[in-house]
Amino acid sequence: MKVEEISLKGCFLISPSIFEDERGVFFESFNLGVFKKKTGISKPFVQDNISKSKKGVLRGLHFQKGIHAQSKLISVLKGSVLDVCVDLRVESATYGEHFSVVLDDVNCKQLYIPGGFAHGFLTLEENTLFSYKCDNFYNKEAESGIIFNDDTLNINWNFPEENLIISDKDRLLPTFKH
Ligand SMILES: Cc1cn([C@H]2C[C@H](O)[C@@H](COP(=O)(O)OP(=O)(O)O[C@H]3O[C@H](C)C(=O)[C@H](O)[C@H]3O)O2)c(=O)[nH]c1=O
């Protein structure tokens, strides 16, 4: 397993060791000992989420506020997504900056995002199965977000906006406030 910290401090791109043979592939999708050793993160995950989406679905940008902030370990079980995280840690040197990466069921890469980030993804294939571990429980009252096409964040989703499938809730998310 290769673990590399990306430009946004505290975020890690994880490339599992994939074992391929005539039957298909095998890889360890999570190993607490390796994860702790390679990231230095020891806070346990407490909730697993799965969403299944059509192609062109954009979920996000979401985050939970304050003590309910969630760190997430993100995987794509089937299909492909453009995954995006935005640094909202006001003390961070990369405050307001974002990172995007394609995660899919071929590269099997995973993205770890610490609390203090907004997160969203765009599905690039039909019936994409998205799975992520969270280190804090869902708290509806603490939910917040930023509109996906915020001018300041200037995220290139590289997908025709008119073809996006977005929830009414996400279409009403506020802009990024410095
Ligand atoms: C997130 C969540 C949602 N729900 C319920 C609330 C709604 O009735 C329903 C759908 O929720 P929502 O539309 O917020 O689902 P997503 O748009 O996939 O939200 C997620 O997608 C972005 C990309 C994320 O990173 C967040 O973890 C999360 O906000 O599931 C729960 O019961 N538990 C949960 O943990």
Side-chain angles (χ1 to χ4, degrees):
M1 173 189 288
K2 189 173 87 175
V3 177
E4 49 189 320
E5 192 166 22
I6 63 167
S7 54
L8 306 182
K9 194 161 179 51
C11 290
F12 295 91
L13 190 59
I14 299 167
S15 305
S17 302
I18 299 175
F19 301 96
E20 193 165 1
D21 62 27
E22 66 279 7
R23 298 165 297 170
V25 300
F26 173 92
F27 66 95
E28 290 184 0
S29 55
F30 180 69
N31 178 312
L32 183 59
V34 175
F35 181 77
K36 281 172 74 169
K37 182 167 177 250
K38 298 212 170 185
T39 64
I41 293 158
S42 54
K43 187 176 178 192
F45 295 106
V46 296
Q47 181 177 323
D48 285 357
N49 294 336
I50 287 180
S51 61
K52 183 174 174 181
S53 304
K54 301 171 187 172
K55 180 177 179 179
V57 165
L58 197 157
R59 296 175 185 256
L61 298 158
H62 300 159
F63 61 93
Q64 291 194 170
K65 293 179 284 192
I67 59 167
H68 300 290
Q70 296 169 305
S71 299
K72 297 166 188 169
L73 178 59
I74 292 152
S75 308
V76 171
L77 301 180
K78 179 178 176 291
S80 175
V81 306
L82 178 66
D83 202 83
V84 177
C85 61
V86 181
D87 190 351
L88 299 180
R89 301 168 300 185
V90 289
E91 74 289 349
S92 166
T94 53
Y95 176 66
E97 293 185 24
H98 69 272
F99 172 79
S100 51
V101 62
V102 172
L103 304 174
D104 62 37
D105 59 6
V106 176
N107 66 33
C108 303
K109 288 182 189 281
Q110 300 172 324
L111 184 64
Y112 174 82
I113 304 173
F117 278 72
H119 174 243
F121 65 90
L122 166 68
T123 55
L124 304 175
E125 291 178 30
E126 286 299 340
N127 296 323
T128 286
L129 211 49
F130 189 83
S131 171
Y132 54 108
K133 305 176 91 62
C134 304
D135 73 349
N136 218 344
F137 295 110
Y138 173 63
N139 183 300
K140 188 170 183 57
E141 291 66 41
E143 275 201 303
S144 187
I146 301 169
I147 190 77
F148 74 98
N149 59 0
D150 180 86
D151 291 339
T152 307
L153 299 183
N154 194 28
I155 297 167
N156 178 11
W157 294 98
N158 198 27
F159 198 91
E161 196 161 315
E162 64 276 12
N163 297 345
L164 288 172
I165 304 172
I166 301 176
S167 68
D168 293 341
K169 180 186 80 162
D170 286 356
R171 285 194 182 281
L172 295 172
L173 287 172
T175 54
F176 175 59
K177 296 171 183 63
H178 283 269

